[in-house]
Each structure stands twice: as C-alpha cells, then as structure tokens.
Amino acid sequence: LLNFFEVIKFSVINILHNKTRSFLTMLGIIIGVSSFIMIMALGTGSTNKIANQLYKMGENSLDISTNLDKARKSDLLTINDVKSIQDSDNNIISVSPQDEMSGSIELNDKSESCYITFVNENYIDTGGINIIYGKFFYKNDYEDKKQYIVLDSLSCKKLFKTSDAIGKSVKVNIGGISRKLIICGVFDIESYFSGIGSMAESVSIPGFALVPFSIKQDFGIYDNYSAKISAILSDMSLDKQVADNITKVLSIKHNNMGKNMYIIERTNKQYSSLRSILNTVTLLVASVAFISLIVGGIGIMNIMLVSVAERTKEIGLRKSLGATDYDIMKQFLVESLIMCFFGGIIGVAFGIIVSTLISNLTVLESSPNILSIIISLVFSSLVGVFFGLYPAKKASSLNPIDSLRL
C-alpha cells in the first residue's frame, strides 16, 4: 500500500515538474469533458422544459376527432356534439370545440399572418394558455357573441409595440371577410409555444389568436363543424372508459355505430415520443463531444512517449537499482491516469459553470446530472489508462544497460 502511495507521489512530482506541458496535455481532456457536461446539462434541461410544458398542456384531456379517411359529411363533429360529449360521462369536467383557420390580423397599415382558432370559454382549462394581460372570455361573453379576441403576446408587440393591448381593436381577416374584434386578453407566447416563443422575434412565425366559436358565422363560415373537440377529465386513469362512452354517444348521434368513425386519444400522447427524440438528439451531439476526449487521449499518449524518451536514463537507473518492469509500467500508467482524472474534474467544473451562464443568458435550461458527471470522469480515466498503456509498456521494456549508455 505504501509503495502505491509512493508511486502516486512520484507521479505528481513528475507532472508538476513540467506544469505547462502537463496542462496542455490535459487540455484535450478538459475540453472534451466540459463539452460533454455542457451539452448534457443544456440538452437535458431544455428537453425537460419543452416536454413538461407539452405534458401540462394535455395532462388531463382527451382529443376527439373524426377519421377523415372514411367519414361522410354526416359523420363530422359539430358544435352540437359538445353538449353530447359533456353529458356522456360524469368524469368529464368541461368540453371545448376547436376549429383552426388561417387568416391575418390587421391594424392600420400593419398586417400579421395568424392562425385563428374558434373555441369556447372552456378552452382555458386545457392548461396551454397563460393569460398575462386581461382575461379569457367568459361563458356569458361567449353566449352573448361578444366580438372578442385573445391574442398572443408577440403579435400584440408587433402591432402595438407593447404586449399590453387590452381594450384595443384589430381587424381579423379570414378568407377575405374582415371583422373588428376587441382584444380582451393576451396570452404568453413562450409558454404556449413550449419554450420556443421567446426566440420567435428573430424568426418569422405566424400569430395565434383565439376567437369565440359563437361568432364564427360573422366571418361568413356558415357551418358548425369542429375539427377537434377536447374533453377535460377529472380522473385521467378512467380515460379508456370515458373514451368508450364518448364513442358510443357520438356513434348513436351520427348513426355510424360500429364503424370506428372517431379517434379519441390523450392530448399528450406524443409526450413520450417527443422526449425520446429530444434525448436521442442530445446523446448524438454529446457523442461528438467524446471525440475531443479521444483526441485528448492521443495527445496524452504522445506526451508520455516523449516523456519516456526524456527519462531513459532515469528508467535505466531505477532498473539497475532493482525496479521491475511492472514498477516502471505502473509509474507511467499512474501519471497518465492522474492527468486524465484531474483534467476530467476541471472539465466537469468548467462545463457546469459555462452551461449555467448560457442558461442565465438565453432561454435554454441547464440541468447538470450526477450520471453524466460520473460517466465523464470514468471515461476520462479510461482514456488515461488506454492511451497511457503503450508508453508505459515501452518504458518498462527498456534495457537498463542500453538506457544508462544513452
């Protein structure tokens, strides 16, 4: 045991004897580990933020839609199906129709393309809308066919130079028919757009607006069809039972029993798939960072070979005094391992600091985890052993007489 500590002691002395060269040797490992930690921290944090936001948007709701591949006109969902769905199961808290159309929002000479979704007052229950100014329209507003619109914060900022545009009017144009609507509420585009919204100012994206379904006909749309209807449940564990009841009620009402005409699925059904894709992308990018570790390992092998050449006489002297091939090999191997391990520690610290700074300055989230830290330290140590093995073997195989002669 004492011999092992002596080996470590001499290894540290040799490393410190050439501080600059040792640091430059460790730099490849530091860069590789810090890149890996930074990518994993930002990737994991941002993945969690986006996925959790999507999960919250549909954690207790079902989406009902018509199978358009085989549906007749009489099979399509309408606003009249909202009450039927509401009454189909006691577990359903509220129901909201959704019919989205492309249009534009106009103010004087300004015009912004926009996705306009016709909904009722229950749409707020889906959890995807965070009202930051004003209110969402109430039931009496909906029934009284108030000319209201709930607009996203970015569109408000583009049109009015401020997100707080409550009480102001805009023209909503759908298919060439315009109506002047009053902004009753403004919702946060960032939370609605799953964490990407705050980056939207640098790219061109359409706006998002919510309008009462009850004024749909004011735009010359004289049908009551709803592309999708969302049902909010009190107990999501009973979703299959609720789905069966909804299917039965709709099939009887539309006279298509047994034809599997309606698709009912969790709003967040893509949650697991999306999370898996984001994790795969993060790991793919992180694997690129490991290339830096390999490059750093090659650098360490190169320096250790130079060190063997420089310390040939020392090796010959130690062997003549009784040091075995194993002792010499162990000495060089431990030096390589120490450089890689401490390079890994520095890399971990640097990666955490940089990822935290990036998180504070951007919309990305940083979430360093113990597993990635352990993996990076273990891998950097293995790099030290692997790339230090050849120089150590070469040093141990030197002939002591030839070494002392040089």
Side-chain angles (χ1 to χ4, degrees), residues 180-372:
K180 185 175 284 188
L181 303 184
I182 300 170
I183 300 173
C184 68
V186 176
F187 63 89
D188 182 17
I189 185 65
E190 183 175 352
S191 60
Y192 182 75
F193 218 28
S194 305
I196 308 173
S198 58
M199 299 169 65
E201 291 188 52
S202 59
V203 295
S204 178
I205 65 167
F208 297 87
L210 304 168
V211 176
F213 203 109
S214 56
I215 65 171
K216 184 179 176 182
Q217 290 187 359
D218 294 352
F219 291 90
I221 308 167
Y222 296 103
D223 65 62
N224 287 320
Y225 297 125
S226 180
K228 180 173 70 173
I229 296 177
S230 294
I232 314 301
L233 278 56
S234 59
D235 185 357
M236 204 60 185
S237 65
L238 301 174
D239 63 322
K240 290 185 179 179
Q241 172 195 306
V242 175
D244 289 341
N245 289 337
I246 292 173
T247 300
K248 184 178 179 181
V249 167
L250 290 176
S251 297
I252 292 173
K253 184 175 180 181
H254 291 268
N255 194 27
N256 52 32
M257 201 71 175
K259 295 184 179 180
N260 297 320
M261 198 61 68
Y262 302 103
I263 301 169
I264 302 176
E265 53 196 8
R266 286 173 176 255
T267 304
N268 57 19
K269 72 181 182 67
Q270 301 298 332
Y271 169 77
S272 298
S273 298
L274 175 68
R275 197 177 187 94
S276 176
I277 291 170
L278 291 173
N279 285 335
T280 300
V281 172
T282 299
L283 289 174
L284 182 64
V285 177
S287 65
V288 176
F290 269 121
I291 296 175
S292 300
L293 282 177
I294 304 300
V295 174
I298 294 172
I300 284 179
M301 182 169 66
N302 181 49
I303 294 299
M304 293 304 293
L305 286 171
V306 173
S307 182
V308 169
E310 289 180 345
R311 294 160 62 184
T312 303
K313 286 189 176 181
E314 175 195 329
I315 293 169
L317 182 60
R318 291 184 62 187
K319 278 195 168 186
S320 65
L321 294 174
T324 64
D325 288 354
Y326 175 73
D327 291 329
I328 301 299
M329 184 175 178
K330 182 167 59 175
Q331 176 73 52
F332 280 85
L333 201 57
V334 168
E335 286 184 26
S336 176
L337 181 60
I338 287 175
M339 279 195 289
C340 282
F341 181 73
F342 280 99
I345 291 177
I346 296 171
V348 167
F350 189 70
I352 292 174
I353 292 171
V354 173
S355 63
T356 303
L357 286 174
I358 292 174
S359 176
N360 291 334
L361 297 173
T362 67
V363 298
L364 298 175
E365 290 285 322
S366 175
S367 180
N369 60 81
I370 297 297
L371 181 60
S372 63

Side-chain angles (χ1 to χ4, degrees), residues 60 65 74 104 159 196 307:
N60 64 335
S65 58
S74 61
S104 62
L159 293 170
I196 308 173
S307 182

